[in-house]
Amino acid sequence: MATRETRAAQLALDFDLDRAPELPALSIAPEWKDQQRLWGHSYHPMCSYLASFPAALAHAFIGRYSRRGDVVLDPFSGRGTTPLQACAEGRVGLGSDLNPFAHLLTAAKVEPATPAEARTRLAGLRLAWATDSTAWLELADAVLADPGPTGARVPIAGSGGSVTDTGEGEPVPAEVAVAFHRRTLAQLLLVRTNLRLDRPTDRFLAAGLTGILHGKSASYLSTIMPNTFSMAPRYVRDFAARTDFHSPERDVFDGLELKLGRLYRQAPPQTPGVALLGDARDISTRARDALRHRGLPDRARLVVTSPPYLRVVKYGYYNWLRTWLLGFDAAAIDATLDDAHHREPYLAFLRDVLAGLRPILTDDAVVVLVIGDVEFDRGRPIAGAVGLAERVWAAAAEPEGYALAGVALDNVAADRKMTKLWGAEAGRATKTDRILVLGATETGRRRALAGAATPIDWDWPQRGLRAL
């Protein structure tokens, strides 16, 4: 079997990748730009996530190209925007991601805890704290006195152990220890030990907790960094030492209770969805098995997804504090994702993804790919990275038999992009999103063209999704 490197080299020979082909424009007005920033279901802002597109964009295509009961798929689900919005609109939202943090967020949204389940579990955690807070505070003091790889050990995340189960435990990184008040850290250690991520209610609480872990307002548990991403560990350690930083005392249980109140402003999604952990290239087999197991239609009528931006985001590195809370290894996540592609391997990868998608698509399926242009990598221009969607069509989609409907442009202001974290390069990494719209067959292409002018209802929340 040819390696990705071999396929990339052959691709470079087969296509003039320095010349992006001219593709027809698809006349879909970007009405999602006119909606409020937090438009959509109240679960969407559960936790910030780099390079995610707005729920309103997903709604624009869900409304045009799917009906109630249809399966809507996102093989790069990220924080679950597409599958959640699909579920909220009566579709079967199916999301998959190779990043366990992304999988957790998607699963929490499409298979959520009920308000009663979440609040009952939170009450149980409060009771556990009231019963054994002294011991957890002593453990936090030991960590603060001796953090780092050779320092004090704490119970393993999700082990369900007691405060004394540290013999087989793990150390707390110094950058974690300095981020929290001692009482907040003690409560986090208790919660981290007791939440089991394979249980839907615990998973929902864990996902909500990641959303309030750090930020600059009183609703966050640490104020050492913004809520959108984690600052570099070394920066956090140096900043804390240089400024004598001490995080204000914040109660984990109070903060999580307020977070649940915000999440439950609307009723849970009308239709449960499916969240999978795995590689987008083999999505069809895993997705069909999961759908059939639940007695659901086993082919998707719509795909709305945004493949990882070319050489831009390290999802583990920029979420290291959240991954610590969940018991995930940030470096292992980035090594697994292998997303630092140059152009040819990236296109070869997307061809594999599109080939893998075909078995799960209906004959009239529409595939929507939101593909960001990437002009710079660490200040250096990237050859051929503007017009990337056009190259994806020529080198990945057309060879796999997809039918082209057209390209819609979505110019996004620099101050609206998560990539503003790059300072002087704000917005340059993903200045333009090109939305490549394909049909799985000629029938799908015709349906995509016919649906482009469909009027979309932007009233939200819809009937049945009012506050409980």
Side-chain angles (χ1 to χ4, degrees):
M1 181 179 293
T3 65
R4 190 188 304 173
E5 290 73 19
T6 301
R7 293 193 300 275
Q10 184 61 47
L11 182 149
L13 293 173
D14 292 343
F15 297 92
D16 181 1
L17 295 176
D18 290 325
R19 296 183 60 190
E22 292 287 335
L23 301 185
L26 186 64
S27 144
I28 293 180
E31 296 171 294
W32 53 87
K33 291 180 169 301
D34 301 326
Q35 312 312 312
Q36 295 179 359
R37 186 175 64 87
L38 296 181
W39 186 96
H41 196 278
S42 55
Y43 288 177
H44 282 300
M46 182 177 285
C47 180
S48 63
Y49 195 82
L50 290 167
S52 59
F53 54 69
L57 185 150
H59 170 71
F61 292 97
I62 290 168
R64 283 180 169 88
Y65 299 128
S66 68
R67 299 185 295 243
R68 296 181 70 85
D70 284 345
V71 175
V72 178
L73 168 64
D74 185 346
F76 301 100
S77 63
R79 70 174 184 171
T81 299
T82 293
L84 167 59
Q85 196 59 37
C87 290
E89 298 184 35
R91 282 72 166 168
V92 179
L94 194 161
S96 180
D97 208 292
L98 191 54
N99 178 353
F101 176 46
H103 170 256
L104 174 119
L105 294 178
T106 299
K109 293 174 180 180
V110 302
E111 301 176 288
T114 67
E117 290 168 339
R119 289 176 172 131
T120 298
R121 180 63 167 128
L122 179 57
L125 292 170
R126 279 187 187 273
L127 181 60
W129 170 254
T131 301
D132 214 8
S133 60
T134 300
W136 287 103
L137 284 166
E138 289 175 353
L139 181 59
D141 287 337
V143 169
L144 292 171
D146 190 15
T150 62
R153 305 182 81 80
V154 301
I156 294 172
S159 65
S162 71
V163 68
T164 59
D165 292 338
T166 58
E168 297 292 328
E170 56 190 359
V172 176
E175 54 271 18
V176 173
V178 301
F180 301 101
H181 185 277
R182 68 181 283 269
R183 188 169 180 272
T184 307
L185 178 61
Q187 292 176 338
L188 284 173
L189 292 174
L190 179 150
V191 172
R192 179 179 187 268
T193 301
N194 283 279
L195 289 181
R196 297 285 297 272
L197 302 185
D198 57 341
R199 299 173 179 173
T201 299
D202 282 15
R203 186 170 56 209
F204 191 85
L205 290 180
L209 191 54
T210 63
I212 62 169
L213 198 58
H214 51 79
K216 294 299 187 179
S217 75
S219 63
Y220 295 100
L221 303 180
S222 173
T223 58
I224 200 168
M225 61 183 92
N227 73 308
T228 49
F229 63 97
S230 296
M231 305 295 290
R234 173 185 247 175
Y235 172 87
V236 170
R237 295 192 302 268
D238 291 348
F239 174 82
R242 185 175 70 253
T243 63
D244 192 28
F245 171 82
H246 290 84
S247 189
E249 180 178 343
R250 300 281 164 77
D251 187 273
V252 171
F253 309 106
D254 289 349
L256 194 48
E257 184 174 16
L258 290 171
K259 179 70 171 180
L260 291 177
R262 295 191 292 274
L263 293 174
Y264 288 129
R265 284 197 314 269
Q266 295 168 20
Q270 299 176 5
T271 306
V274 180
L276 301 174
L277 176 65
D279 195 313
R281 290 169 290 186
D282 63 8
I283 182 64
S284 284
T285 300
R286 294 182 295 108
R288 293 186 87 166
D289 287 347
L291 290 166
R292 287 170 177 171
H293 179 72
R294 293 165 172 79
L296 297 168
D298 65 359
R299 292 206 292 170
R301 198 157 187 254
L302 173 64
V303 175
V304 180
T305 191
S306 180
Y309 286 143
L310 185 65
R311 295 182 60 79
V312 170
V313 177
K314 288 289 188 184
Y315 289 96
Y317 181 77
Y318 285 121
N319 287 289
W320 61 262
L321 190 51
R322 290 164 175 154
T323 59
W324 168 82
L325 175 73
L326 301 169
F328 300 150
D329 183 328
I333 288 173
D334 287 333
T336 300
L337 294 179
D338 182 27
D339 58 359
H341 300 315
H342 291 282
R343 181 181 57 186
E344 287 78 9
Y346 181 83
L347 294 172
F349 167 72
L350 285 187
R351 180 169 180 178
D352 288 346
V353 170
L354 290 169
L357 274 176
R358 293 202 66 87
I360 200 174
L361 300 179
T362 63
D363 291 340
D364 66 344
V366 174
V367 177
V368 178
L369 303 177
V370 182
I371 299 177
D373 284 341
V374 182
E375 296 185 28
F376 293 87
D377 176 23
R378 300 171 183 87
R380 298 186 298 273
I382 302 177
V386 175
L388 191 58
E390 289 82 349
R391 292 174 172 84
V392 168
W393 159 250
E398 186 177 28
E400 292 301 325
Y402 288 84
L404 176 67
V407 171
L409 296 184
D410 182 14
N411 294 309
V412 183
D415 62 358
R416 294 294 299 274
K417 298 294 288 187
M418 284 284 194
T419 47
K420 63 187 178 184
L421 64 95
W422 279 278
E425 290 190 28
R428 294 183 187 174
T430 52
K431 184 181 297 182
T432 301
D433 285 343
R434 282 175 164 79
I435 302 174
L436 181 62
V437 182
L438 311 169
T441 65
E442 175 62 19
T443 304
R445 184 189 77 88
R446 291 177 181 175
R447 191 164 74 87
L449 293 174
T454 301
I456 299 298
D457 181 3
W458 291 102
D459 287 338
W460 195 269
Q462 297 173 331
R463 183 174 298 176
L465 286 173
R466 305 299 174 182
L468 296 180

